[in-house]
Amino acid sequence: NAGVMQNPRHLVRRRGQEARLRCSPMKGHSHVYWYRQLPEEGLKFMVYLQKENIIDESGMPKERFSAEFPKEGPSILRIQQVVRGDSAAYFCASSRSGGADEAFFGQGTRLTVV
Amino acid sequence: GDSVTQMEGPVTLSEEAFLTINCTYTATGYPSLFWYVQYPGEGLQLLLKATKADDKGSNKGFEATYRKETTSFHLEKGSVQVSDSAVYFCALIHTGNQFYFGTGTSLTVIP
């Protein structure tokens, strides 16, 4: 049973470009969470999705960031017009039923904006 | 709001030394508490958890006890190994569906 798969592992973008981060949850998991880890900081919640629905996006910046989890395929975190401050590690986690279940994290995508 | 405060690092220990990483939390009610570990270049892995007061989570020689009276969930290990070198994150999940993480404590174990 493969774990949570994120790709790419490393992504370099120039300022103003778009970044698309992908997350395939574990088999049987229908809940996906995105977290951002800025340098020297802990992980901060961004968004929680179930299939085709955004449940909680209270941690997502209001502009330039969007997330989706379609019926088929991976969850996508999209960052438009990236800026240097977007440089961070972005982690995806999945769980079977959400709530207090343990979440399984992917290895993360390290985004560098140059 | 909910939050987690954990001991700042970095922490450097000699092999076989005793480890304590302090973690306290703020939350109303009874959150579930977790320790996650992040090895270099990897994602977070669940190390242990406790879901109610006085529960003790344990795994790979690590232990943490959910103390409601002191709102703490300190991580301990009696004898650390070089392979334990990693960043350790304390976290809670409460109402809603988001984890609240501490800032992480970097541990380096030297032979």
Side-chain angles (χ1 to χ4, degrees):
Chain A
N1 187 12
V4 178
M5 303 301 293
Q6 289 188 249
N7 67 81
R9 291 289 308 277
H10 301 275
L11 181 62
V12 179
R13 285 287 177 265
R14 296 187 184 280
R15 280 179 293 173
Q17 291 185 317
E18 178 180 285
R20 291 171 67 89
L21 288 62
R22 295 175 182 77
C23 169
S24 296
M26 287 181 67
K27 187 176 180 181
H29 287 193
S30 59
H31 299 248
V32 165
Y33 314 79
W34 285 95
Y35 287 79
R36 178 166 63 174
Q37 184 181 28
L38 293 170
E40 309 298 325
E41 295 187 15
L43 281 74
K44 295 287 197 300
F45 170 80
M46 299 183 74
V47 62
Y48 162 47
L49 311 100
Q50 294 182 30
K51 285 283 187 180
E52 300 184 275
N53 289 303
I54 296 175
I55 307 302
D56 181 354
E57 57 182 347
S58 59
M60 193 100 95
K62 293 289 185 283
E63 298 179 353
R64 302 187 298 108
F65 286 72
S66 62
E68 63 178 16
F69 188 16
K71 187 176 181 181
E72 300 292 337
S75 176
I76 306 287
L77 178 67
R78 180 199 286 183
I79 311 171
Q80 296 177 298
Q81 300 175 326
V82 295
V83 300
R84 288 239 171 94
D86 296 332
S87 296
Y90 292 82
F91 288 94
C92 168
S94 73
S95 70
R96 188 174 300 277
S97 59
D101 275 353
E102 64 199 45
F104 292 84
F105 283 79
Q107 292 181 301
T109 294
R110 300 190 185 277
L111 172 66
T112 302
V113 179
V114 297
Chain B
D2 295 350
S3 67
V4 173
T5 301
Q6 69 179 97
M7 165 180 165
E8 291 195 17
V11 174
T12 302
L13 294 173
S14 297
E15 207 164 22
E16 300 183 3
F18 184 86
L19 168 71
T20 300
I21 301 178
N22 290 338
C23 171
T24 57
Y25 68 90
T26 301
T28 55
Y30 297 89
S32 293
L33 302 174
F34 304 79
W35 277 100
Y36 279 85
V37 58
Q38 184 179 29
Y39 296 103
E42 298 187 12
L44 274 72
Q45 300 174 27
L46 176 66
L47 181 60
L48 53 85
K49 69 174 183 178
T51 57
K52 61 183 188 296
D54 299 326
D55 266 4
K56 178 186 283 188
S58 61
N59 185 27
K60 299 181 182 179
F62 290 89
E63 293 183 338
T65 301
Y66 188 145
R67 301 283 188 205
K68 180 68 176 172
E69 62 276 13
T70 53
T71 62
S72 65
F73 193 55
H74 304 323
L75 182 69
E76 296 182 336
K77 186 174 186 183
S79 176
V80 293
Q81 305 301 312
V82 172
S83 57
D84 293 326
S85 298
V87 180
Y88 292 82
F89 291 93
C90 185
L92 71 81
I93 190 165
H94 193 201
T95 57
N97 292 285
Q98 61 174 280
F99 281 84
Y100 292 86
F101 284 89
T103 52
T105 301
S106 174
L107 169 67
T108 300
V109 180
I110 54 178

